[in-house]
Amino acid sequence: MKKQKVVLLGKGRVGKTSIFKRFLQNEFHDNEVTTIQPQYLEKQVKVNTEKVTLSIWDTAGQERFRGLNPLFYRNSKAAIMVYDITDQESLDSLEDWLAELKNQVGHKIVLMIVGNKSDLKKKRQVSIEDAENLAKKVGAQHFCVSAKTGENIDEMFHELAKRVMKFVKENKTPLNTTKSRRNFALVNEDVETKKKKKKNNDGCC
Amino acid sequence: MNFTEEISTNPLIMVLLYEPSFSYLLNFLIKKKGVLLVPLLPTLERISLNPQFLETHLTVFNPNDNRQFLTYNNKIGVIVPKSKVFLIETDSNFRWDQEMQLSKTFQNKTLIRTLNYFDGKTKNKKEKTNEKTVNILKKFALETVRGQNITVAFISQPLQITKIKLKKTKNNKKSKSKTKNKARTSTSTSTSTNKSTSTSTNIDTNTDINPNQKRRKKKKNVKGNMDPGNQIIKTMKPYLNQPEVQKLLEKIDTFCFKIKNSKRKDFNKIIQKTKRFIKKVRKQLPLEKIYIDKKDNKVKKQQISIFIIEIIMSQCSMYLVSILIEKEKQNDARYFNYFQKLNWIRFKHLGIPSKYHQKDVLLQAQRKLHEINFEKTPLQKLKCIQGVCLILLQLFNGKLSNADKFFPILIYTILYSNTKQLNTNLLFIKIFTNSTWLSTSSYGVYFSNIVSAFNFLKNLKHSDLKFVDRNLFKKLLNSKHQNRNQNHNHNHNHNHNHNHNHEHEHDQNQSHNQNQNQNQNHSHNHNHNHGHNNQNRKLRQQKLLNRSVNTLNFGKSPISFQLTKDNNEAIINKNSDLQTSQSNQKENKSKIENNDQNNEHQNVNDVDNNFQFKNITFDKLKFTQIPILLNDYNNIIEKIINLKKEIREKKLK
């Protein structure tokens, strides 16, 4: 299967880069370690017998750079929306990111909502229910991970790969051509939510 | 050493005479009282050559015997048809007295059309490494020696593959320590950045290791350094001899010819034409016949289309870019002027922490960004962008860079490099690259980074910057007394010193006092002394020169070298600059003094033309200094004109 583009989104300091690094090198250092190509990494994930190569793009989280991210969304098959469980604002801001993503991408993509820093349970500000409600609303799957301990990281990416594969197989027509973009115009939210209820967490927005 | 003498004997200069930009270079050197460095006794001995090399470096064939040819060094060579290797057999002072004619087989081929990269070959059959060649002929590179405002053009000898060892620069720490060493050590020569992987490879010469070991290491390194662009070309290479592919290449040639000679200059139509052509060709190409092995499935349609685009662009890019430039002329000028207006932006406005204020690295990146104008194909342009980003990543000391940290630095470099036609270049890449391929390769990240940084600057608002409110933003943007130091930034290929001062100004002029700026600029740039006619003339001349130099292609990878004298002086200058940063009042005075010193220095250099370089060696070749005089220049220009005439006549015949 071809390489599939995945974008990491979220507010600044939520730990996007750490998740990104944790997954690809299975390492976590408080002082981040070297990589050859920052902001871009590829990794093969095995799903049953098949392999998918995920090419993961890290993006800037600061408010002032948000307008520049659309270029990074282009041709992406999946997006990982990261929030910090110790910061309520980071979850609230995800809705803005989602709206922007929908505007820019113009076709269906796989979504994941990921709460990082699960090792800091004592400082938790965001309730799991809130996050899961948001995930349901958008048709995403929710995960709580810790880039520091590595908790749930592999599982999350494995699930993502699975969904991406399923998504690509379902939409065999090439997504990237201009014609296909028209075909995959965004589905209305209402229609979408109905579908989701039927399919029980389908994972597509 | 006399330059005219050197011309008649030196094969490398003879080759360069055919290069149109060489006359500009000479002109520039004369105006700048510069110096040309040429290898002592360049020879073509003991080099077995490939036909490409023959085309460019050897022209004269024996009219009686087509197998025999004469090199510029007056050495006889013989073509060995079976082995397809061209050997130079004997040393002799033999000259043909008869009218010299070019061999028919080589007559149609032109001299140095492209940037000629010499594929090194060795005599032994075992060592025939056609596919693993390293391309390293640098035609010439232009450098300024720090501290001394002497411009030096540097011509290097084509190097043999056996002498080269590829080094990865995975560990940025190493490369950083190297740069530190460069600054300290004297007479160090090094090559930085190459065509193969922009900044990711350094080529060093090393003769101590056994050849076998070298080969093994090379293999590993080449694999490690493989970037997607090179991979495509490498994977396509073995198929080039197949008849199907050759038919395709012929078609491409005819198509390129048509495009070049088309009278219509509607860019959109041309784009549509090329895209249609690529689709057509891709469909016609019998993939099953070409890829016999199952392993070859790796070469996919996408790669082929990129390969085809590369071939087309290598021929037509100049034409297409020129049309695009005409189309985007207004936009380019607008952005250029706008970025000039923004030159009050400092590190703190973009929120760049002080640990990343490494001017050397930033300057290097700015310089690299200028190279984008000289690259031909979209892939090469992408590599250039990658190179800029990789240079900037040195700032992070090997730590994983966050997009939030990296972005402001990239914005800063774009703003202060203020590359003309960056907009058109980015458009060009966008049009002629496969978007899906881009989105799943590392080039894509760097490309979208640079595009979005460019967009950030285009649509800059006061809220995007720190410490600037709406009123101040408007004031600064509309202020008439803009720093015109951009001229210096444009010329940073030639004036390191100026740039250092310039950078300090950026750091320290945070009070935005326009009068102060004005004063400093007047002292710093003699460009603005309107009272004196002579200086005005000089100014114009300089501008003209700079224009001509900006349009030159000085080779892909400038060769850097530093000298003891100059380094000391550079360090002294730096220290004095540091001292100035201590107080604002002292700062202005000392800067003015520094500038005066610089001016004096320049004047001294103008008079003193006998500057001696010490022990410049590169790949065991010693280099000589050849000052060029005006008379020489006139002679050379005449020669060049004659040569061009001859070539035209031959073509007409």
Side-chain angles (χ1 to χ4, degrees), chain B residues 97-134:
Chain B
D97 294 326
Q98 299 168 355
E99 283 184 12
M100 293 174 182
Q101 288 178 350
L102 286 173
S103 158
K104 282 179 187 176
T105 46
F106 293 101
Q107 218 165 27
N108 296 326
K109 290 174 183 175
T110 49
L111 296 167
I112 305 196
R113 262 283 173 82
T114 56
L115 285 170
N116 281 289
Y117 287 90
F118 164 54
D119 292 349
K121 273 185 183 178
T122 43
K123 282 181 186 178
N124 296 334
K125 283 183 182 176
K126 286 177 185 175
E127 290 178 18
K128 275 185 183 175
T129 50
N130 286 339
E131 291 167 20
K132 290 161 197 166
T133 49
V134 184

Side-chain angles (χ1 to χ4, degrees), chain B residues 228-241:
Chain B
N230 286 346
Q231 216 170 0
I232 290 162
I233 289 157
K234 274 201 171 180
T235 42
M236 281 303 289
K237 257 191 180 176
Y239 308 108
L240 288 176
N241 294 327

Side-chain angles (χ1 to χ4, degrees), chain B residues 193 197-200 361-372 380-396 406 409-414 417 419 422 446 450:
Chain B
T193 73
T197 49
S198 52
T199 50
S200 60
V361 179
L362 290 170
L363 272 175
Q364 208 187 336
Q366 285 170 22
R367 241 189 267 170
K368 184 78 188 164
L369 193 59
H370 277 284
E371 282 178 26
I372 199 171
Q380 283 170 2
K381 283 180 195 289
L382 281 173
K383 276 179 191 171
C384 179
I385 289 170
Q386 192 190 32
V388 174
C389 294
L390 289 174
I391 290 168
L392 289 179
L393 289 169
Q394 286 176 18
L395 294 172
F396 295 92
F406 179 71
I409 298 168
L410 189 64
I411 290 166
Y412 186 87
T413 46
I414 289 173
S417 75
T419 314
L422 182 66
Y446 298 121
I450 212 159

Side-chain angles (χ1 to χ4, degrees), chain A residues 34-35 40 61-62 64 68 176, chain B residues 350 398 400 404 407 436 440 449:
Chain A
T34 52
T35 46
Y40 175 82
Q62 277 183 33
R64 59 189 177 138
L68 310 173
N176 306 312
Chain B
L350 293 166
L400 184 67
D404 290 317
F407 225 71
T436 45
T440 49
N449 260 320

